[in-house]
């Protein structure tokens, strides 16, 4: 799960998906990173943590890190939150198989629409709630696919 700062959208996506993997007994590892290293080492934004808590999820202890080329080796699927993150990740891809791993997460929910999970950082509380709801629905689709693929 990849966004810009790895303190709002992608740590929430990581937390939601990890909990659903656990509930569905799927042995899949999940992590998140940011295309900028601007917040590396920081916990998620407190506003995102509070929204997560209001939905019963605790993401307080996650830590921001920068996306690296090693992530193409370590992961089979790379979900970008918006097209800017998507393009920045693709720019680091060396092979067609690296490139094939990269997807816009909301295309799971709205195929081929190339919609963004809106960056909530400079907005109000509703933006964080919208991010939660979008990622909750998108991760349901990811879980469905993982189950279908055994
Ligand atoms: P994120 O949100 O990419 O969802 O983690 C942002 C976090 C920080 C900044 C922008 C977006 N920033 O400009 O510092």
């Amino acid at each position: 799960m990849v966004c810009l700062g790895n303190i709002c959208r992608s740590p929430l996506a990581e937390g939601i998906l990890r909990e659903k993997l656990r509930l569905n007994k799927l042995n899949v590892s999940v992590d998140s990173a940011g295309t900028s290293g601007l917040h590396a080492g920081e916990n998620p934004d407190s506003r995102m943590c509070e929204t997560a808590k209001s939905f019963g999820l605790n993401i307080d202890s996650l830590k921001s890190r920068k996306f690296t080329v090693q992530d193409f080796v370590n992961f089979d699927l790379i979900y970008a939150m918006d097209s800017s993150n998507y393009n920045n990740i693709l720019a680091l891809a060396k092979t067609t198989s690296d490139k094939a791993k990269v997807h816009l997460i909301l295309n799971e929910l709205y195929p081929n629409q190339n919609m963004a999970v809106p960056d909530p950082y400079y907005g109000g509380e509703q933006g964080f709630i919208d991010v939660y709801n979008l990622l909750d629905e998108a991760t349901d689709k990811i879980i469905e696919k993982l189950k279908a693929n055994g």
Side-chain angles (χ1 to χ4, degrees):
M1 298 298 183
V2 184
C3 62
L4 176 63
N6 191 211
I7 55 169
C8 295
R9 294 165 291 175
S10 62
L12 183 71
E14 175 189 349
I16 295 175
L17 185 60
R18 179 173 294 115
E19 178 61 5
K20 289 181 183 177
L21 289 167
R22 188 183 71 77
L23 292 171
N24 284 277
K25 298 185 168 44
L26 289 166
N27 187 20
V28 174
S29 56
V30 57
D31 197 6
S32 66
T35 53
S36 90
L38 221 60
H39 295 273
E42 293 176 22
N43 296 120
D45 187 296
S46 58
R47 297 165 296 173
M48 197 76 262
C49 292
E50 288 314 307
T51 299
K53 260 177 225 159
S54 75
F55 286 94
L57 181 72
N58 190 318
I59 59 165
D60 291 3
S61 63
L62 297 180
K63 270 212 165 57
S64 175
R65 69 172 178 88
K66 188 172 180 177
F67 181 86
T68 74
V69 289
Q70 184 64 29
D71 288 312
F72 289 112
V73 180
N74 293 348
F75 296 96
D76 299 316
L77 287 166
I78 297 169
Y79 287 110
M81 298 296 133
D82 63 35
S83 57
S84 163
N85 312 146
Y86 178 85
N87 290 329
N88 287 333
I89 298 163
L90 272 195
L92 297 172
K94 293 196 181 93
T95 65
T96 50
S97 104
D98 286 352
K99 287 186 180 140
K101 293 181 176 187
V102 190
H103 306 275
L104 272 171
I105 191 167
L106 287 191
N107 278 349
E108 296 293 321
L109 202 53
Y110 306 107
N112 307 314
Q113 298 294 300
N114 297 338
M115 284 172 57
V117 179
D119 182 349
Y121 191 69
Y122 293 105
E125 186 187 354
Q126 188 59 45
F128 289 85
I129 296 168
D130 293 345
V131 166
Y132 188 96
N133 286 322
L134 284 169
L135 291 177
D136 190 30
E137 290 188 65
T139 52
D140 276 345
K141 295 284 180 195
I142 293 170
I143 291 284
E144 271 175 36
K145 269 195 185 171
L146 290 172
K147 285 171 102 167
N149 295 337

